[in-house]
Amino acid sequence: MTGPIAIGDTSISTDHYIDGARRASSASFELFSPIDMRSLGHVAEAGPDMVAEAVGAAARAFPAWAALGAEGRWPYLKRFAEEIGKRSEALCLAESNDAGVLLSRMRHGIVPRAMLNITWFAEQALILQVHEIETPQAHHFVRHDPAGVCAIITPWNAPLMLTTWKAGPALASGNCVVIKPPEWAPLTCSLLADAAHAAGLPPGVFNVVQGAGAVTGAALVADKRLSRISFTGSIPTARKIAAEAGANLTPCSLELGGKSPFIVLADADVDAAAACGALMYRNATQVCLAGTRFLVHAKVRDEFVSRMRDYVSRLIVGDPRDEATEVGPIIHPRQIDKVKGYVDRAIAGGATVLWGGAPHPHGPLYFQPTMLTDVQQGSEIVQEEVFGPVLVLQTFETDAEAITLANDVAYGLGGVCYGEEANAKAVAEQVRTGFIWINSFGIRDLAAPFGGCKQSGIGREGGSWSFEFFCDIKDIVVPKQPFKPSFSHR
């Protein structure tokens, strides 16, 4: 039986949000906290009929929402961001409790970013509505017209940030959205529905349907009324989504994680690189853009290992609701079993444990920050995304070898390269990846593109790239001289 879930002083609805109102359903699933495995309550699960209702509500709301134009939508979206801000502490506590995300990260990074995701794209929509191109023959008026109903499917490691990152440009463009939050961490999306309602978004513009990917998600992506599907998650799920979307010719944006290299060149500031390397364990390395394959020049390998070991030893593993905590829990028993399995098989295959390598005594869903070495390039621990606090270290003798190792995986999302700036940039230019940080990590701007190549995804998000996905681009052509039809005959 479903009912509101109490987190701190906030009562969070576990019902769906469809056509401007809360909707219950007969099916439900139980939600657990990764902090201590306690049950948080039961959450309504949408079947195909309820998903169809949500898509229908969005389709009905679309014409009026699109007709408002960017100027008309701006006040709604500004209020939406403000309502997110009013719920800041509730959002922080909700995501920390159901996803295990660090409370400090929520307060100081994610909630402010969620608000910006809405307002920044709303402001950009005012600029991007029409772009004029002059040619000798004609005036071209290139419009960014809203596409229609957009499905947004987000993962459990960053539901608030990624939902607003996708919904911001979708709504600003004039689309209506149906959001399917992760079943392991749905609470912040429910609070977003409250914020949208309080902001006065018209019924049907913003909808949330909860449930498992195999049930709710499958029904959503198969709906022929969708105009766009934006998904962040795993490769196997993306393949299923792409197959359904392909049958309906529905455009997809797919961001699928990575196995990113962290390259330390011979001329790197080793201490700075080691300190940055320790950051890869934040959020228990449940971050798609983390550098998880350390490629370290043989000349500095021993010094780097010594310094990074020291930084890692200082990391505080514990309850994510404690602001001092730096490494929290893994989200679910299935996920920690997966992480442990990768480590055990790697060790059985000859890998050496530099540190960690086992569950952490803090709780059943905690795993020690781990570094493995003596790993084979073709092994699964090098080739596959673990999505837990497990890193691998390999050495190289030349920059060319580092580039070869960096590129020898199926993924191509992100990367880090430490070294003298010119050398690091020269290496970065040859690594096949969507983005790479030089002597830094995590610097992001909403105006910049985000996304990967190879198996890390299709498409780019951010800046004008988000609008190009969520919009239909139309060229209105007006000739400069009277048009005189002519016909040629063979």
Side-chain angles (χ1 to χ4, degrees):
M1 181 176 178
T2 62
I5 289 176
I7 302 290
D9 296 329
T10 303
S11 178
I12 304 173
S13 174
T14 57
D15 291 336
H16 315 289
Y17 182 74
I18 299 172
D19 207 13
R22 289 291 181 176
R23 292 286 306 280
S25 56
S26 57
S28 67
F29 58 93
E30 193 169 9
L31 183 65
F32 295 88
S33 173
I35 298 171
D36 50 16
M37 286 299 294
R38 73 189 186 283
S39 175
L40 296 174
H42 286 77
V43 179
E45 181 169 45
D49 290 346
M50 190 155 285
V51 170
E53 286 184 35
V55 176
R60 290 191 300 274
F62 171 67
W65 181 248
L68 288 175
E71 294 88 351
R73 292 186 291 270
W74 161 251
Y76 290 98
L77 297 177
K78 182 175 180 291
R79 288 195 298 271
F80 186 20
E82 290 169 350
E83 292 294 335
I84 292 172
K86 291 177 183 178
R87 291 161 177 77
S88 176
E89 190 63 10
L91 289 162
C92 291
L93 289 171
E95 196 152 298
S96 189
N97 275 273
D98 75 350
V101 177
L102 299 178
L103 188 60
S104 60
R105 187 165 173 256
M106 291 297 300
R107 284 174 173 158
H108 306 300
I110 292 177
V111 170
R113 169 67 187 275
M115 297 171 65
L116 186 62
N117 284 341
I118 302 299
T119 56
W120 190 89
F121 284 107
E123 290 169 352
Q124 290 302 300
L126 297 170
I127 301 169
L128 288 174
Q129 284 189 101
V130 178
H131 173 61
E132 296 185 22
I133 301 173
E134 294 293 331
T135 68
Q137 294 81 25
H139 306 279
H140 294 257
F141 299 91
V142 182
R143 291 180 53 86
H144 289 71
D145 290 338
V149 179
C150 301
I152 293 174
I153 305 172
T154 54
W156 46 258
N157 64 317
L160 175 62
M161 200 288 287
L162 290 175
T163 299
T164 54
W165 169 242
K166 296 171 184 293
L171 294 170
S173 300
N175 303 292
C176 297
V177 300
V178 179
I179 294 163
K180 207 293 283 184
E183 59 267 32
W184 289 351
L187 296 184
T188 46
C189 284
S190 182
L191 288 170
L192 280 180
D194 290 342
H197 189 85
L201 267 66
V205 170
F206 189 95
N207 306 273
V208 177
V209 288
Q210 302 157 147
V215 178
T216 310
L220 179 59
V221 299
D223 198 299
K224 292 181 172 61
R225 293 169 292 179
L226 295 181
S227 296
R228 297 290 189 274
I229 300 171
S230 181
F231 169 77
T232 297
S234 71
I235 290 175
T237 302
R239 289 193 175 115
K240 295 176 183 177
I241 290 173
E244 289 286 359
N248 297 326
L249 293 180
T250 307
C252 289
S253 173
L254 306 172
E255 195 271 281
L256 309 178
K259 191 74 174 180
S260 300
F262 190 117
I263 304 168
V264 183
L265 301 176
D267 58 3
D269 180 333
V270 176
D271 187 68
C276 184
L279 290 177
M280 301 305 108
Y281 291 117
R282 293 200 67 181
N283 212 42
T285 321
Q286 297 170 123
V287 180
C288 62
L289 47 77
T292 55
R293 291 184 298 131
F294 281 71
L295 307 176
V296 183
H297 195 284
K299 176 182 173 183
V300 298
R301 187 262 189 200
D302 291 346
E303 180 187 2
F304 177 82
V305 168
S306 176
R307 289 177 180 269
M308 185 168 169
R309 186 196 307 272
D310 182 52
Y311 282 113
V312 172
S313 70
R314 303 179 209 171
L315 292 173
I316 298 173
V317 179
D319 191 321
R321 296 168 299 186
D322 185 338
E323 283 251 2
T325 297
E326 295 164 304
V327 181
I330 291 173
I331 192 168
H332 195 275
R334 291 211 302 266
Q335 186 64 19
I336 199 166
D337 287 346
K338 177 183 173 184
V339 171
K340 188 176 184 299
Y342 273 117
V343 173
D344 291 346
R345 290 189 296 274
I347 294 171
T352 299
V353 179
L354 289 174
W355 54 78
H360 193 280
H362 186 83
L365 296 187
Y366 289 78
F367 202 87
Q368 296 175 9
T370 296
M371 178 71 86
L372 304 176
T373 192
D374 300 323
V375 291
Q376 299 299 312
Q377 180 63 24
S379 63
E380 66 172 11
I381 198 68
V382 172
Q383 294 292 325
E384 297 181 16
E385 184 177 44
V386 176
F387 227 60
V390 179
L391 313 176
V392 295
L393 186 145
Q394 299 167 279
T395 58
F396 62 89
E397 298 286 347
T398 67
D399 291 355
E401 183 185 358
I403 293 164
T404 297
L405 291 171
N407 289 333
D408 188 24
V409 294
Y411 293 96
L413 183 58
V416 178
C417 189
Y418 267 80
E420 191 279 324
E421 186 174 316
N423 292 341
K425 186 172 181 292
V427 169
E429 288 172 350
Q430 298 180 70
V431 176
R432 290 198 61 201
T433 187
F435 53 90
I436 187 164
W437 288 289
I438 304 297
N439 298 327
S440 60
F441 175 75
I443 298 171
R444 295 280 304 280
D445 193 284
L446 273 68
F450 178 84
C453 58
K454 299 192 285 185
Q455 294 292 297
S456 283
I458 298 172
R460 293 292 182 273
E461 297 177 272
S464 62
W465 295 272
S466 285
F467 288 102
E468 288 174 7
F469 173 71
F470 283 115
C471 293
D472 289 327
I473 311 301
K474 181 191 329 183
D475 182 15
I476 299 175
V477 184
V478 180
K480 291 183 176 179
Q481 301 294 332
F483 180 69
K484 297 179 180 180
S486 63
F487 300 92
S488 60
H489 301 280
R490 293 186 177 180

